[in-house]
Amino acid sequence: MAIEGKGEAKLGRRLRLGMVGGGQGAFIGAVHRIAARLDDRYELVAGALSSDPARARASAAELRIAPERAYGSFEEMAQKEAARDDGIDVVAIVTPNYVHHPAAKAFLGAGIHVICDKPLTTNLDHALDLVETVRRTGLVFGLTHNYTGFPMVREARERVQAGELGRIRVVQAEYPQDWLTTPLETTGQKQAAWRTDPAQSGGGAIGDIGSHAFNLAAFVSGLEAEALCADLSTFVDGRRVDDNCNILLRYAGGARGMLWASQVAPGNDNGLRVRVFGDQGGLAWHQEHPDFLDFFPLGKPPQRIVRAHPSTGKSAGRVTRIPPGHVEGYLEGFANLYSDCAELITARLEGRAPDPGATLVPTVEDGARGVRFITAAAESSSRGAVWTDLGLAL
Amino acid sequence: MAIEGKGEAKLGRRLRLGMVGGGQGAFIGAVHRIAARLDDRYELVAGALSSDPARARASAAELRIAPERAYGSFEEMAQKEAARDDGIDVVAIVTPNYVHHPAAKAFLGAGIHVICDKPLTTNLDHALDLVETVRRTGLVFGLTHNYTGFPMVREARERVQAGELGRIRVVQAEYPQDWLTTPLETTGQKQAAWRTDPAQSGGGAIGDIGSHAFNLAAFVSGLEAEALCADLSTFVDGRRVDDNCNILLRYAGGARGMLWASQVAPGNDNGLRVRVFGDQGGLAWHQEHPDFLDFFPLGKPPQRIVRAHPSTGKSAGRVTRIPPGHVEGYLEGFANLYSDCAELITARLEGRAPDPGATLVPTVEDGARGVRFITAAAESSSRGAVWTDLGLAL
Amino acid sequence: MAIEGKGEAKLGRRLRLGMVGGGQGAFIGAVHRIAARLDDRYELVAGALSSDPARARASAAELRIAPERAYGSFEEMAQKEAARDDGIDVVAIVTPNYVHHPAAKAFLGAGIHVICDKPLTTNLDHALDLVETVRRTGLVFGLTHNYTGFPMVREARERVQAGELGRIRVVQAEYPQDWLTTPLETTGQKQAAWRTDPAQSGGGAIGDIGSHAFNLAAFVSGLEAEALCADLSTFVDGRRVDDNCNILLRYAGGARGMLWASQVAPGNDNGLRVRVFGDQGGLAWHQEHPDFLDFFPLGKPPQRIVRAHPSTGKSAGRVTRIPPGHVEGYLEGFANLYSDCAELITARLEGRAPDPGATLVPTVEDGARGVRFITAAAESSSRGAVWTDLGLAL
Amino acid sequence: MAIEGKGEAKLGRRLRLGMVGGGQGAFIGAVHRIAARLDDRYELVAGALSSDPARARASAAELRIAPERAYGSFEEMAQKEAARDDGIDVVAIVTPNYVHHPAAKAFLGAGIHVICDKPLTTNLDHALDLVETVRRTGLVFGLTHNYTGFPMVREARERVQAGELGRIRVVQAEYPQDWLTTPLETTGQKQAAWRTDPAQSGGGAIGDIGSHAFNLAAFVSGLEAEALCADLSTFVDGRRVDDNCNILLRYAGGARGMLWASQVAPGNDNGLRVRVFGDQGGLAWHQEHPDFLDFFPLGKPPQRIVRAHPSTGKSAGRVTRIPPGHVEGYLEGFANLYSDCAELITARLEGRAPDPGATLVPTVEDGARGVRFITAAAESSSRGAVWTDLGLAL
């Protein structure tokens, strides 16, 4: 092995974690649980895992949650856990999007920290309401735009911030998939069903994956988007949401961007990619090969930066577990957000400032910006793909 | 060697070729000459190689052109060559863009076939005038959108036309470069100088490389673009033309496209890439690895199609010289257009129909569509990046 | 998300896990712990984490092991844990190689199942002794040749066994690294120190990584190696073990192989790669891009098989957690072995046959074959790189 | 375009070229003709294109060779051309291997320079005889180990010679193909027929492609091979030559090598690859992506060096025609050898020293080393794959 792994940090007690959503048949809940487990800083002790009470109980039993902490609703869970001496420190909300707002409100109201899946909410009012609530309660709120947890994404951001690319001019982001090329939602596939139901999801490709690409572009480039021109399409007959999004972006300071999100692009699984170009260099990162960052210093040969290689910086090194050439993937990137949230919460519990590296976790404000992006894109497109302001006073 | 190469075709007499432009210090002229030579169907015998008479003569001498056929102007060349018994069959016009129109007019007027570099002209009136002239004279006019000469580009087109991708929904084209990241035109670099002079070039990245990407997308997808929304930028201070182009496209029949052309994207040499997605499959081609076509049949594993492999079709096979795994590159692709033009001209001389495969050479009408794309993009952008019609009755 | 993840299996009680080695400053111990945690089937409750008692205690405290179960030696641990009602079900041995034999003997002797790092032992007698002991005790013994846990490695094996490659002719395996290009062991780096100490490691690159490549080639091809010709080198002055291994292999049935292992190949992190070719097709897998398998059906285009894609088979699907295009890496592959061992042990505890898929975990016999490979290579090389028999009656 | 192309050199008169072999149905002859034509320094004026007189005449007519210079045998051609005032300056010998020796002897004897395909001869005596003849006559003799003509292969060599890799330790070369996976020679395929006929070819994969890999490894590394251990196989029933070669190499100075050549490896077209590692860095080149060189400076990120990029050196720059990102392929690399031979011959005709860059063309001595490699491999293998000396006093 080329380097010594970081090993575990000095571990204090595990944070007590609850979960809303993520019962049998769900997808992202299991991902959150693995992410929480990976660095051993959480213990799952309570859940309102399904809106169907029987399924909620059965799911909890499978996950070794005590029956008395398997709740039938998130409202009940928030109330009862807040009342326990050994109540949960933090809740993970992994439901369909339309539940994010009421669930987050309930737990924040009960004084419980929140980790919430993206997009933040299904409309802007709810998003702004959550911003206000988080600010008022002063609680930790982490939004799982999980790609920001990848070491090489943080490396990319660090290099941009250090000026290695010079002044940023061009941002290219894309997130193509192919799983909705056919009308999968008509077959009973559960993921397809709720994600193409506007009431549950708040939008199609634009919210499910476009918001990831938008967030990633902002995270890496450090730029704030000011306006967009979005041409959203629905290519599959009968589909109730968009499945392809072609978007132009304008950033503060004059940089220009393009963003493509598609769920009807055969041959693409999760082709999230971001490229950023400045007057001194460029970089490219591809989610399907996450341990590598291509770096292009102007006038010099392209370099391939590998996670955990000596050439990487502090922010990537902080979230590296194993040597270069042994791939860390999606679950490890997701786990980095969980471990950062653990640090933010633990610091709060211990009355100290957190490790600054942990503050990279996307915030409720990032979530509101994402919702503004989604709603502005829909608005732009419905008006014929005209330029639409993204401004949001936060 | 895995397969027998096609060897040379049965060669008749070499076509007599003249050249306008391409003297000392030029770039693309040498490429045209190699392309003409590769399959041995042309002989360069005359030239007006430079607007500077001394340079024109010196350049001709270097190229073994007889002194009496080294002309001081294209007008003189057209007139005198037309008068010779052994006058040129065809002229290659490889000048800065603004000369294309008058030079082509002169040779077409003299009854001489034309091979012309792209973009066709610097404005739409000139383009339409050439369309009319070519139609009236009935002469061969080949436009060197050279990427259409690559075997795997033709393979891509053939697969789309055969329905292997189903109904096309999404087209993604891009052509990033980095050579104008700095104000190279202020250093005396000749290529940068004329290409960033609007009077000589008619536009910046949009004309120089955007037009290639637009043409390639149309060639492969078989779709006609109906409208665009273009956000052109000039990132380098003092530059007189655009150097980054972000464009949305709408195609007849409902397909949607994006096109990015940039000359300020560090790390990109000639990153021309086209991706096309239909309801049955997708494909991707990248100019920097031209012998490979990635093919994505829906629901099946991605396939890598290699030039000259048994899995390739007729149109690619026709322009293949050597076995798979021995790369044919830019010059071979360019040469394919020259050999196709030779076939078109020879067929004309012999009073027969040409090999249908040779008719893939971009036409003067394609050139006019390209000029319409360039002018519409400029118009769209100058009005704030609004949707602009691309319609052109040809 | 394109597919639903497998989610957690129905979880019974967690197995009680002990660990020998893996204290502060170690590398692979942390990997084993993450691997054990990932699918939530183990609980770490005891350890003899270091041969230094103070370090052992401190390490245990960091890992939340109760002080009374933080042992000063593996002998003590085996004895006391065997005597507890809630004693460990299984021990993970993650020490330098020379400790594997006595530690495994102690736990097997105490009736405790064993998961052991590779290579099995530092000499063949010890290896054969462990084979005998495991057979006699009837306990589960899993050897962490962890690359066999990657889904696409299992996919490769399944395709070979299904005859998709036809009769196997050629096997190419390599494992280049660069971390020992310089005399790192003289700098106090702990990993380099013990791995280049023949007494602790039993060999250099041949044992550390050559044995992985050998095992992987056998696992994928299903072939048994009969003889080798090994040219081992020590390129770094003063180094006490080999750091580059060039090996020819002959397999039963006539197939031929080559194996290269190097720790002095700049630019290589963990470049483990295996390629297998038969009379009907070939395949290639590269550890640095583990979610992809390149498959080459004879006469057809190369295909890229992606983990969790519908085109994958049963053995890969069984160890898949998340959709294609979201990378599972080294830790997930390692975790697959742990989960398989959990299944083997649980089945034993429950008196039932295990899931057949779990029986792919490398066995003590595989370990003995690996040690025979290591010792034969050393013997071959020391005699001038002559052909040496690999036969081992097991 | 990022850079100005080199354009044509100042061209003097074209060299008069003759060709032996390369008539209808041949493969490599057409490649030689394109290569000769590309930079316009040769004119094909004579040929003994086939051993079948009718085919020789017909082939000559197709290639515009005057009837009186279409010869029935190379002996006649050598004699008559030598007698003409406008006789050929140089002959290209592109026959099956067994003809190389007598043909080269004939032309050298007639005072005519020679460009000869590889391998040099079918046995060592003939090879040494040609070495002696070339030295005695003082004529130019270029051997078309064409991969040495690739710009990035020369870049690799230049970097090794400049010490950028430090002291070389490890060389890995391979050349896998798949076109002989089945008994193609039994189908009448002409290339397969003569290449698997020991009398015509002198060996199978070892001579056809193994010799290329061996030459390339030597060219790039600058090392002289001293001994080999070769395990040659014939996997296809009834085949009369080897089709898979597994070889260990020892170089002067202590470096170690491996070489794999195979014609039965499905999925490989022409997968020639060379990797060289020293104590300061490494590099890798792959023939199927010839414009790129991966460079690995120790402890720094891997770099991708692109042809014609400012980071390339003098020897690559000399043989570059077009900007980076526009691929130059197999034919251009082959043409570089032809242009270098033109320079060597022209310098001889003009009584001056040639451009030193042109002296990289493989020599008759390189050819003899290659034949020694082939014969030693056969000898080693037939004796059970034992170490065999490669020494050759030249």
Side-chain angles (χ1 to χ4, degrees):
Chain A
M1 300 304 141
I3 65 160
E4 307 198 20
K6 70 168 188 176
E8 295 90 346
K10 243 175 241 236
L11 301 172
R13 78 161 171 88
R14 293 185 186 92
L15 293 175
R16 290 183 295 270
L17 175 67
M19 182 167 277
V20 179
Q24 294 167 341
F27 157 64
I28 203 69
V31 168
H32 279 252
R33 288 192 292 269
I34 295 176
R37 207 149 57 220
L38 203 88
D39 292 326
D40 208 15
R41 302 190 61 171
Y42 294 88
E43 184 173 15
L44 180 65
V45 296
L49 299 171
S50 172
S51 49
D52 169 337
R55 179 181 285 186
R57 274 192 304 275
S59 301
E62 282 179 20
L63 294 168
R64 307 194 190 96
I65 291 174
E68 69 275 16
R69 298 177 85 172
Y71 300 99
S73 73
F74 64 78
E75 294 89 347
E76 180 195 0
M77 176 172 161
Q79 182 190 347
K80 294 201 173 155
E81 286 293 321
R84 292 178 71 108
D85 282 349
D86 63 351
I88 57 174
D89 298 297
V90 52
V91 68
I93 301 173
V94 299
T95 62
N97 306 339
Y98 74 104
V99 183
H100 293 177
H101 174 255
K105 287 278 282 189
F107 287 93
L108 292 168
I112 294 168
H113 303 291
V114 172
I115 296 171
C116 184
D117 213 79
K118 46 53 59 184
L120 182 61
T121 60
T122 55
N123 65 58
L124 190 57
D125 285 347
H126 284 170
L128 295 175
D129 184 49
L130 283 185
V131 170
E132 189 278 332
T133 308
V134 171
R135 289 178 174 180
R136 181 166 40 78
T137 59
L139 293 163
V140 170
F141 187 98
L143 188 74
T144 53
H145 271 307
N146 57 294
Y147 305 109
T148 63
F150 277 105
M152 301 316 283
V153 168
R154 295 187 175 191
E155 175 75 19
R157 175 187 166 94
E158 183 174 317
R159 288 179 179 245
V160 171
Q161 296 212 335
E164 293 190 38
L165 277 67
R167 181 184 176 90
I168 302 305
R169 292 167 166 174
V170 175
V171 177
Q172 295 284 330
E174 64 182 48
Y175 198 152
Q177 298 181 324
D178 66 6
W179 71 294
L180 292 175
T181 297
T182 59
L184 188 64
E185 62 268 40
T186 63
T187 67
Q189 209 263 12
K190 180 173 165 163
Q191 294 300 321
W194 79 256
R195 287 172 202 263
T196 60
D197 174 358
Q200 292 190 66
S201 66
I206 189 71
D208 200 25
I209 54 176
S211 64
H212 269 312
F214 179 78
N215 174 265
L216 183 65
F219 183 83
V220 169
S221 72
L223 296 176
E224 189 178 356
E226 289 185 332
L228 60 67
C229 173
D231 196 19
L232 310 189
S233 306
T234 301
F235 282 113
V236 171
D237 285 345
R239 179 159 291 161
R240 293 179 292 160
V241 293
D242 61 280
D243 52 23
N244 189 80
C245 313
N246 288 1
I247 300 177
L248 302 182
L249 288 163
R250 290 178 178 164
Y251 289 96
R256 290 292 189 267
M258 297 177 81
L259 188 152
W260 173 47
S262 184
Q263 294 175 320
V264 295
N268 290 281
D269 292 315
N270 282 286
L272 176 61
R273 196 159 73 126
V274 65
R275 293 177 285 179
V276 178
F277 303 98
D279 58 15
Q280 300 299 320
L283 57 77
W285 181 80
H286 186 182
Q287 192 268 154
E288 300 199 359
H289 300 276
D291 258 7
F292 305 95
L293 176 69
D294 289 316
F295 177 58
F296 311 117
L298 182 63
K300 294 186 185 151
Q303 299 177 4
R304 173 147 276 201
I305 313 297
V306 185
R307 185 189 51 73
H309 192 273
S311 54
T312 54
K314 205 169 167 178
S315 58
R318 211 186 133 265
V319 287
T320 286
R321 292 170 189 82
I322 50 175
H326 286 325
V327 173
E328 295 198 30
Y330 177 88
L331 295 169
E332 287 79 7
F334 218 114
N336 291 334
L337 288 197
Y338 262 85
S339 295
D340 284 344
C341 285
E343 166 60 13
L344 295 176
I345 295 166
T346 302
R348 204 68 64 89
L349 296 176
E350 297 177 353
R352 59 171 174 81
D355 177 345
T359 63
L360 290 179
V361 177
T363 62
V364 71
E365 287 85 1
D366 292 323
R369 284 184 201 100
V371 174
R372 178 59 192 145
F373 164 77
I374 295 167
T375 56
E379 185 187 327
S380 166
S381 191
S382 69
R383 293 174 49 219
V386 297
W387 286 93
T388 302
D389 195 70
L390 281 170
L392 201 60
L394 288 177
Chain B
M1 300 305 141
I3 64 158
E4 306 197 21
K6 72 168 185 175
E8 295 90 347
K10 243 175 242 232
L11 302 171
R13 78 161 171 90
R14 293 186 186 91
L15 293 173
R16 291 182 294 268
L17 175 68
M19 183 167 277
V20 179
Q24 295 167 339
F27 157 65
I28 203 69
V31 168
H32 279 251
R33 288 192 292 269
I34 296 175
R37 207 149 57 221
L38 203 87
D39 293 326
D40 209 15
R41 303 190 60 171
Y42 294 88
E43 185 172 14
L44 180 65
V45 295
L49 300 170
S50 171
S51 51
D52 170 336
R55 179 181 286 187
R57 273 193 305 275
S59 301
E62 282 180 19
L63 295 168
R64 306 193 189 97
I65 291 172
E68 70 275 15
R69 299 178 84 172
Y71 301 99
S73 72
F74 64 77
E75 294 89 345
E76 180 194 0
M77 175 171 160
Q79 182 190 347
K80 293 201 173 155
E81 286 293 322
R84 292 178 71 109
D85 282 349
D86 65 349
I88 57 174
D89 299 298
V90 52
V91 69
I93 301 173
V94 298
T95 62
N97 307 338
Y98 75 104
V99 184
H100 294 176
H101 174 255
K105 287 278 283 188
F107 286 93
L108 291 168
I112 294 169
H113 302 292
V114 172
I115 297 171
C116 184
D117 213 80
K118 46 53 58 185
L120 182 62
T121 60
T122 55
N123 65 57
L124 190 57
D125 285 347
H126 284 170
L128 295 174
D129 184 48
L130 283 185
V131 170
E132 188 278 332
T133 307
V134 171
R135 289 179 174 180
R136 182 168 37 79
T137 59
L139 292 164
V140 170
F141 188 98
L143 188 75
T144 53
H145 272 306
N146 56 295
Y147 304 109
T148 63
F150 277 106
M152 300 317 283
V153 167
R154 295 188 175 189
E155 175 76 19
R157 176 188 166 92
E158 183 173 317
R159 287 179 180 245
V160 171
Q161 297 212 334
E164 295 190 36
L165 277 67
R167 181 185 176 89
I168 303 305
R169 293 168 165 173
V170 175
V171 178
Q172 295 284 331
E174 64 181 49
Y175 198 152
Q177 298 181 323
D178 67 5
W179 70 295
L180 292 176
T181 297
T182 59
L184 187 64
E185 62 268 41
T186 64
T187 67
Q189 209 263 13
K190 181 174 165 164
Q191 294 300 320
W194 81 256
R195 288 172 202 262
T196 60
D197 174 358
Q200 292 190 67
S201 64
I206 187 71
D208 200 24
I209 54 176
S211 65
H212 269 312
F214 178 78
N215 175 266
L216 182 64
F219 184 83
V220 170
S221 72
L223 297 175
E224 188 178 355
E226 290 186 332
L228 60 66
C229 173
D231 195 19
L232 310 189
S233 306
T234 302
F235 282 112
V236 171
D237 286 345
R239 180 159 290 160
R240 291 179 293 160
V241 293
D242 62 280
D243 51 23
N244 189 80
C245 312
N246 288 1
I247 300 177
L248 303 182
L249 287 163
R250 291 179 178 164
Y251 289 95
R256 291 291 189 266
M258 296 177 82
L259 188 153
W260 173 48
S262 183
Q263 294 175 320
V264 294
N268 290 281
D269 292 314
N270 282 287
L272 176 61
R273 196 159 71 127
V274 65
R275 292 177 286 179
V276 178
F277 303 98
D279 58 15
Q280 300 299 320
L283 58 76
W285 180 80
H286 186 182
Q287 192 269 154
E288 299 198 2
H289 300 276
D291 257 6
F292 306 95
L293 176 69
D294 289 315
F295 177 58
F296 312 118
L298 182 63
K300 293 184 186 152
Q303 298 177 4
R304 173 148 277 201
I305 314 297
V306 185
R307 186 190 50 74
H309 192 272
S311 54
T312 55
K314 204 168 167 179
S315 59
R318 213 186 132 265
V319 288
T320 286
R321 292 170 190 80
I322 50 175
H326 286 325
V327 173
E328 295 198 31
Y330 177 88
L331 295 168
E332 287 79 6
F334 219 113
N336 290 334
L337 288 195
Y338 262 84
S339 295
D340 284 344
C341 284
E343 166 61 13
L344 295 176
I345 295 166
T346 302
R348 205 68 63 91
L349 296 176
E350 297 178 352
R352 59 171 173 83
D355 177 347
T359 63
L360 291 179
V361 177
T363 64
V364 72
E365 286 84 1
D366 293 322
R369 285 183 200 101
V371 174
R372 178 59 193 145
F373 164 76
I374 295 167
T375 55
E379 184 187 327
S380 165
S381 190
S382 69
R383 294 174 49 218
V386 297
W387 286 91
T388 302
D389 195 70
L390 282 170
L392 201 60
L394 289 177
Chain C
M1 300 305 140
I3 65 159
E4 307 199 19
K6 70 168 185 174
E8 295 90 346
K10 241 174 241 230
L11 301 172
R13 79 161 171 88
R14 294 186 185 90
L15 293 175
R16 291 183 294 271
L17 174 67
M19 182 167 277
V20 179
Q24 295 166 341
F27 157 65
I28 203 68
V31 167
H32 279 252
R33 287 192 292 268
I34 296 176
R37 207 149 57 221
L38 204 88
D39 293 326
D40 209 15
R41 303 190 58 170
Y42 293 88
E43 184 173 14
L44 180 66
V45 296
L49 300 171
S50 172
S51 50
D52 170 334
R55 179 181 286 188
R57 274 192 305 274
S59 301
E62 282 180 19
L63 294 169
R64 307 194 189 95
I65 291 173
E68 70 274 16
R69 298 178 86 172
Y71 301 99
S73 73
F74 63 77
E75 295 88 347
E76 180 194 1
M77 176 172 160
Q79 182 190 346
K80 294 201 173 153
E81 286 293 321
R84 292 178 71 109
D85 282 350
D86 64 350
I88 57 173
D89 299 297
V90 52
V91 69
I93 301 173
V94 298
T95 63
N97 307 338
Y98 75 103
V99 183
H100 293 176
H101 175 256
K105 288 278 282 188
F107 287 92
L108 292 168
I112 294 169
H113 302 291
V114 172
I115 297 170
C116 183
D117 214 80
K118 45 53 60 185
L120 182 62
T121 60
T122 55
N123 66 58
L124 191 57
D125 286 345
H126 283 170
L128 296 175
D129 184 48
L130 283 185
V131 170
E132 187 278 331
T133 307
V134 170
R135 290 179 174 180
R136 181 167 39 77
T137 59
L139 292 164
V140 170
F141 187 98
L143 188 74
T144 53
H145 272 306
N146 56 294
Y147 305 109
T148 63
F150 277 106
M152 300 318 283
V153 168
R154 295 187 174 189
E155 175 76 18
R157 176 187 166 93
E158 183 174 316
R159 287 179 180 246
V160 171
Q161 296 212 335
E164 295 190 36
L165 277 67
R167 182 184 175 89
I168 303 304
R169 292 166 166 175
V170 175
V171 178
Q172 295 284 330
E174 64 181 49
Y175 198 152
Q177 298 181 324
D178 67 5
W179 71 293
L180 292 175
T181 297
T182 59
L184 187 64
E185 63 267 41
T186 64
T187 67
Q189 209 263 12
K190 181 174 165 162
Q191 294 300 321
W194 81 256
R195 287 172 201 263
T196 61
D197 174 359
Q200 292 191 66
S201 65
I206 188 69
D208 200 25
I209 54 175
S211 65
H212 269 312
F214 179 78
N215 174 266
L216 183 64
F219 184 83
V220 170
S221 72
L223 297 175
E224 189 178 356
E226 290 187 330
L228 60 67
C229 172
D231 195 19
L232 310 189
S233 306
T234 301
F235 282 112
V236 172
D237 284 346
R239 180 159 292 160
R240 292 178 293 161
V241 293
D242 61 281
D243 51 23
N244 189 81
C245 312
N246 288 1
I247 300 176
L248 303 181
L249 288 162
R250 290 179 179 164
Y251 288 96
R256 291 290 189 269
M258 297 178 82
L259 188 153
W260 173 47
S262 183
Q263 294 173 319
V264 295
N268 291 282
D269 292 314
N270 280 287
L272 175 62
R273 197 160 70 127
V274 65
R275 292 177 285 178
V276 178
F277 304 98
D279 58 15
Q280 299 299 320
L283 57 77
W285 181 80
H286 186 181
Q287 193 268 154
E288 299 199 0
H289 300 277
D291 257 7
F292 306 95
L293 176 69
D294 289 315
F295 177 58
F296 312 118
L298 182 63
K300 293 184 185 152
Q303 298 177 5
R304 172 148 276 202
I305 314 296
V306 185
R307 185 189 51 73
H309 192 273
S311 54
T312 55
K314 204 167 165 179
S315 59
R318 213 186 131 266
V319 288
T320 286
R321 292 170 190 81
I322 49 175
H326 286 326
V327 173
E328 294 196 32
Y330 178 88
L331 294 169
E332 286 79 7
F334 220 113
N336 291 334
L337 289 196
Y338 262 85
S339 296
D340 283 344
C341 284
E343 166 61 12
L344 296 176
I345 295 166
T346 301
R348 204 68 64 91
L349 296 175
E350 297 178 352
R352 61 172 171 81
D355 176 345
T359 63
L360 290 179
V361 176
T363 63
V364 72
E365 287 85 1
D366 293 322
R369 285 185 199 100
V371 174
R372 178 57 193 145
F373 165 77
I374 295 167
T375 57
E379 185 186 327
S380 166
S381 191
S382 70
R383 293 175 49 219
V386 297
W387 286 92
T388 303
D389 195 71
L390 281 170
L392 201 60
L394 288 177
Chain D
M1 301 303 140
I3 65 159
E4 307 198 19
K6 71 167 185 173
E8 294 91 348
K10 239 172 245 233
L11 302 171
R13 78 160 171 90
R14 294 186 185 91
L15 293 175
R16 291 182 294 269
L17 175 68
M19 183 166 277
V20 179
Q24 296 166 341
F27 157 66
I28 203 69
V31 167
H32 279 252
R33 288 191 291 269
I34 295 175
R37 207 149 56 221
L38 203 88
D39 293 326
D40 209 15
R41 302 190 60 171
Y42 294 88
E43 184 172 15
L44 180 66
V45 296
L49 299 171
S50 172
S51 50
D52 170 335
R55 179 180 285 187
R57 275 192 303 276
S59 301
E62 282 180 19
L63 294 168
R64 307 193 189 96
I65 292 173
E68 70 275 16
R69 299 178 85 173
Y71 300 98
S73 73
F74 64 77
E75 294 88 346
E76 180 194 2
M77 176 171 159
Q79 182 190 345
K80 295 201 173 155
E81 287 292 321
R84 293 177 70 107
D85 282 348
D86 63 351
I88 57 174
D89 299 297
V90 52
V91 69
I93 301 173
V94 298
T95 62
N97 306 339
Y98 74 104
V99 184
H100 293 176
H101 175 256
K105 288 279 283 187
F107 287 93
L108 292 167
I112 294 168
H113 303 291
V114 172
I115 297 171
C116 184
D117 213 81
K118 46 53 58 184
L120 183 61
T121 60
T122 55
N123 66 57
L124 190 56
D125 285 346
H126 284 170
L128 295 175
D129 184 48
L130 283 185
V131 169
E132 188 279 331
T133 308
V134 171
R135 289 179 175 180
R136 181 167 39 79
T137 59
L139 292 164
V140 170
F141 188 99
L143 188 74
T144 53
H145 273 306
N146 56 295
Y147 305 108
T148 63
F150 278 107
M152 300 317 283
V153 167
R154 295 188 174 190
E155 174 76 19
R157 177 188 165 93
E158 184 174 315
R159 287 180 179 244
V160 170
Q161 296 212 335
E164 295 191 36
L165 276 68
R167 182 186 176 88
I168 303 304
R169 292 167 165 173
V170 175
V171 177
Q172 295 284 330
E174 65 181 49
Y175 198 152
Q177 297 181 324
D178 66 6
W179 71 293
L180 292 175
T181 297
T182 59
L184 187 63
E185 62 268 40
T186 64
T187 67
Q189 209 263 12
K190 180 174 164 163
Q191 294 301 320
W194 80 256
R195 288 173 201 262
T196 61
D197 173 359
Q200 293 190 67
S201 65
I206 188 70
D208 199 25
I209 54 175
S211 65
H212 270 310
F214 179 77
N215 174 267
L216 182 65
F219 184 83
V220 170
S221 72
L223 297 175
E224 189 178 355
E226 290 186 332
L228 60 68
C229 173
D231 195 20
L232 309 189
S233 306
T234 301
F235 282 113
V236 171
D237 284 346
R239 180 158 291 160
R240 292 179 292 160
V241 293
D242 62 280
D243 51 24
N244 189 80
C245 312
N246 288 1
I247 300 177
L248 303 182
L249 287 163
R250 291 179 178 164
Y251 289 95
R256 290 291 190 267
M258 296 177 82
L259 189 154
W260 173 49
S262 184
Q263 294 174 320
V264 295
N268 290 282
D269 292 314
N270 281 287
L272 175 62
R273 197 159 70 126
V274 65
R275 293 177 285 178
V276 178
F277 304 98
D279 58 15
Q280 300 299 319
L283 57 78
W285 181 80
H286 186 181
Q287 192 268 155
E288 299 198 1
H289 301 276
D291 258 6
F292 305 95
L293 176 69
D294 290 315
F295 177 58
F296 311 117
L298 182 63
K300 293 185 185 152
Q303 298 177 5
R304 172 147 276 201
I305 314 297
V306 185
R307 185 189 51 73
H309 192 272
S311 55
T312 54
K314 205 168 165 178
S315 59
R318 214 187 131 265
V319 288
T320 285
R321 292 169 190 82
I322 49 175
H326 285 326
V327 173
E328 293 197 32
Y330 178 87
L331 295 169
E332 287 79 7
F334 218 113
N336 290 334
L337 289 197
Y338 261 84
S339 295
D340 284 343
C341 284
E343 166 61 12
L344 296 175
I345 295 165
T346 302
R348 204 69 63 91
L349 296 175
E350 297 177 353
R352 60 170 173 82
D355 177 346
T359 63
L360 291 179
V361 177
T363 63
V364 72
E365 287 85 1
D366 293 322
R369 286 184 199 100
V371 174
R372 179 58 193 143
F373 164 78
I374 295 166
T375 56
E379 185 187 326
S380 165
S381 191
S382 69
R383 293 175 48 218
V386 297
W387 286 91
T388 303
D389 195 70
L390 282 170
L392 201 58
L394 288 178

